[in-house]
Every structure is written in structure tokens, then in C-alpha cells.
Amino acid sequence: MKYPAGLPVGETWVEAPSIEPVIFPYDGSTVTDAPVGDMELARQALDHALAVRDAVGRLPSYVRRKALQSVHATISAERDAFVDLLVLETGKPLVDCRVEVDRTLLTLETSAEEVARLHGETVPLDLLPSGDGLVGFWVRKPVGVVVGITGFNYPLLLASHKIAPALAAGCPVIVKPAPQTPLATLWLVHLMREALVEAGAPAAAVQLVTGGPDVGAALTTDRRIGAVSFTGSAAVGHQIARDAAPTKVLLELGSNSALVVAADADLDAAADAIIRGGYYASGQACISVQRVIVVDSVHATLLDKLTERLPAVVVGDPRSPDTRVSALIDPKSTSRVRAWVDASLASGAELTYSSKDGELLGPTVLTDVASGQLAWDEEIFGPVIAVRPVPDLDTAFATVNASRYGLHASVFTSSLDTAFTAIDRLDVGGVVINEVPGFRSDVMPYGGVKDSGIGREGPRFAIEELTTTRMAIIRPRP
């Protein structure tokens, strides 16, 4: 970590009112002490962001692009250090932290490229006689100050999803990282501020304030901001939307993603995908596989294939390149996941597979989990999947849709007709055929429906979300 002490508020780094340790989830050791902000610092950050809003909105395209490209180059050079830091503060396996840094780099790169594509178009106003002689066009303008609130599971990537599109659009941005995982985000913000100053822009275009819900409320309920971009739980997202109204809110919320296996599927590929998609990031990903819905005729065979593969999933120290499942973010999360599993078993579910390493939860497979159980209905955010047989694909698709969530779903099939039927009928933000629902391209419009959120991420689409269209009509002088 190579950034000043304190918090980046305004044009400098200011002393935080308190500090708290960042804990390595795997063994409970302290990574380092991190600064903790308060409501007063949040208000100061808002004032600074508003003071530079017009200047940031007028930054030339080459300045915004240069700053993003510069940060991309620096993170590329420091890639291994960022990976190691992410392992320590999140407890995620090394392999997943490498993917996170790579996706962050792609987000920065594509956001820089999208700066050149941020434009409007002309409109033929003479479609009516009254428009004869008029010139019409529209342009995109920055929405204003953006408040970005991120989750603990992918702190660097989620921060880049807020910061890079905001800057590309010409918006000052204030980031509030999750209290458990502020370190990589602090480093990212430091690099961004250095790049902005070097390019001739104000450092206050990017600020960061840590803290609890009171800090988040101070940031999101200020009527002077242009947009809130939040990644986290549905309950918190709904509260932010209510409290922030009428401010524009972009919500990337929870899910309990389903993977459907058709009778004609490649069952080996499906089994591999379920393991890959169910247990990456130790299951702490909104688009990890949670519900596996299998056509009856191949249910037993698929379970056999899963059981054969699961012992090879390494549980242990996230610093090892072989580890695929490690500690959850904190003991409270581990206890909650265990409680959900126990409640399912008490209601009649069966434990088809379970493993652990000391206190670590290993890959877990449940069958016959009833609707109404949290392990089926809600986002478990742990290394647990629930498998349910269904008589046919119509029932499978109806089962996917019988959820308050709708982020991603995937279908394994060899039929093109089934693939297009799924794309047409599944009520989710993304349908993935013959891959995991967690296969996410950061250049696609990512987001959900229903309680999985509103708005879309991915540089091109997030930049559009963070701009407004301005219509212009001119009658030239004769």
C-alpha cells in the first residue's frame, strides 16, 4: 500500500477521527489499521465535490481519458501487490483476487475508451412543417456528483465500477467502501487523484469516506447530488432508494442465481460449471450458483458427477494458489450460513455433500430444500448450493422465475431452441447458455430485475446512466 495517512477529502488527505483494524478473515490477524470517517467528513466531501462539479464537467475528453489510462498503467505494474492486498482484506482465494484485478484493469481500459464515444446526435426536426428550417440535436451532460457505495466481496472491482464511469462521464465521485475492506479502494483512489492532478484536473474529483450507515446516509440523502450507485443487499438498497428519492439511484443488489440442466445437456460440463460457479470467491458473489434445477431424467447422474468432483475442491489458506474455498468475510457470516443449512435440514432437506477445514465452511450440497427456506429463497452468500429435480423445462423455467430476485441465470442444453426459449422466458437481467451465471463480461450491460436492482453497469452503460440528455433546437438567423 502506497498512499498517505488519513482520508482523501477535498484536495488533500485529512486526518480521520478514528481508526479500526482490518482483519484477515482466514486467521483473524490484523492486516493494518484503517481510517474511519464520520458524518462531518462526509459533509465536507460533498461540499468539495459540489465545488468542483462544474470544473469536472468541463474537463476535456483527453484529460479524462489520460487519467484513466494512467491509473490502468500503474495498477498493471502493481498487479501482484494489489492481488496480495485483496487476499488479505477479503480472505478470498488468490485465484479469485487475480481475476478481480484483471477485471478492474478491463473496466479502467474500456471506460477510457468510452470517453471518445460519449456524444449525442442530430435529429430531423422538419418531420413536421413547423420544424422547417430548424436545427435539432442532443448531447450528453454529466448528471452531477455521484456517490458510490460498494460491497466487501470485490472491493477494488466494485470501486472501479463506480469511479471509472463517473470520471469518464465528467462527474465528481465520492466512494464509500465496505468497512471490512477499505484498503485496495484507498489505494485506487490515491492513484486516481494523482493521475487527475498530473492531467490538470482537481484531486477532489475523486474522494473517499469510510464509516458506517450514518456516513452512507449523510452521503446519499443530500439533495445536491446527481446519482447514487450502490452495490449490496436488497434491504439496504431499498432503504437507500426510499431515502434518496427523487435522486437517481442505480442498484446492483442480491440474487440467488439458478443454473438449469436440461435432459440433453453435457452433464460433465454442467457439473464442472456448478462447482466452478458455486464455490468461487467462497460463494460470496451475487451471481454464484445457488439453485441448481435439473430435469428429473438426469438428476441422479448429475448428482453422481458432482459428488465425484467435490473432493478435489481445495479448502484452506486463501494465499495458496490451489485453494478454491476459504474463510467467509467474518465469523458472523459463517454462523449465518450454518444456521440456514441447519434450518433446511430440520425442514426435510438432505445433506448430499459437506466438507470443512477446521472452522472453514467447505463446499456443501443440499437436496430437497423446500421453498420458503432461506437457503432456497434468499442469497446465502456462502459455499452452499441446493439441487432440485423438476419434471421438465417448463417447470424449470417457472422455478427460476419464482423468486423475488432476477440477476443472472444459466441453462445447460445442446438445443438452440431451448437456449432461445430461455432467453425469452427467464425473468432475469442476464441469461447465460452453457456457462456459469457468474460469467460476467465487464463490457456487457450488467444488472438485474425485480429485487436484484435497477440500472446497468459496464463502462458504456454506466456512463450513459451517469449522464443526462440535453436537447438543443436552433433556428438559424436568416
Side-chain angles (χ1 to χ4, degrees), residues 141-350:
K141 291 295 183 179
V143 74
V145 174
V146 175
V147 171
I149 301 180
T150 63
F152 68 80
N153 55 333
Y154 280 80
L156 182 68
L157 177 63
L158 296 176
S160 73
H161 282 168
K162 314 303 182 189
I163 296 170
L167 284 182
C171 300
V173 57
I174 304 168
V175 181
K176 180 190 174 297
Q180 306 100 314
T181 55
L183 303 178
T185 308
L186 277 163
W187 193 1
L188 170 65
V189 167
H190 171 58
L191 295 178
M192 195 67 72
R193 285 160 65 92
E194 283 193 326
L196 285 165
V197 171
E198 183 180 351
V206 181
Q207 302 175 81
L208 183 150
V209 183
T210 51
D214 57 336
V215 171
L219 292 171
T220 58
T221 58
D222 193 299
R223 293 284 75 81
R224 300 172 295 172
I225 65 174
V228 177
S229 179
F230 170 79
T231 301
S233 71
V236 175
H238 294 167
Q239 188 64 51
I240 287 174
R242 288 191 292 268
D243 293 345
T247 301
K248 183 174 188 178
V249 175
L250 309 173
L251 303 176
E252 200 272 272
L253 305 178
S255 185
N256 60 349
S257 294
L259 184 149
V260 173
V261 182
D264 60 1
D266 180 334
L267 297 184
D268 288 308
D272 289 340
I274 291 165
I275 290 173
R276 186 170 69 253
Y279 303 123
Y280 79 96
S282 304
Q284 296 176 118
C286 55
I287 42 181
S288 63
V289 175
Q290 183 172 333
R291 295 180 295 157
V292 178
I293 301 165
V294 192
V295 171
D296 235 335
S297 60
V298 295
H299 174 250
T301 304
L302 180 71
L303 275 180
D304 288 343
K305 290 181 180 294
L306 281 175
T307 305
E308 291 170 2
R309 288 162 166 78
L310 283 164
V313 179
V314 177
V315 181
D317 191 328
R319 293 167 292 193
S320 168
D322 297 324
T323 297
R324 293 299 178 267
V325 175
S326 191
L328 301 187
I329 189 64
D330 54 36
K332 181 180 178 182
S333 296
T334 303
S335 297
R336 177 189 56 76
V337 172
R338 284 199 171 105
W340 288 18
V341 171
D342 291 344
S344 295
L345 297 176
S347 72
E350 293 187 10

Side-chain angles (χ1 to χ4, degrees), residues 108-129:
L108 292 165
E109 181 180 29
T110 50
S111 294
E113 292 172 353
E114 287 298 328
V115 172
R117 303 185 181 100
L118 188 60
H119 53 76
E121 62 184 56
T122 58
V123 180
L125 295 182
D126 57 356
L127 292 172
L128 288 174

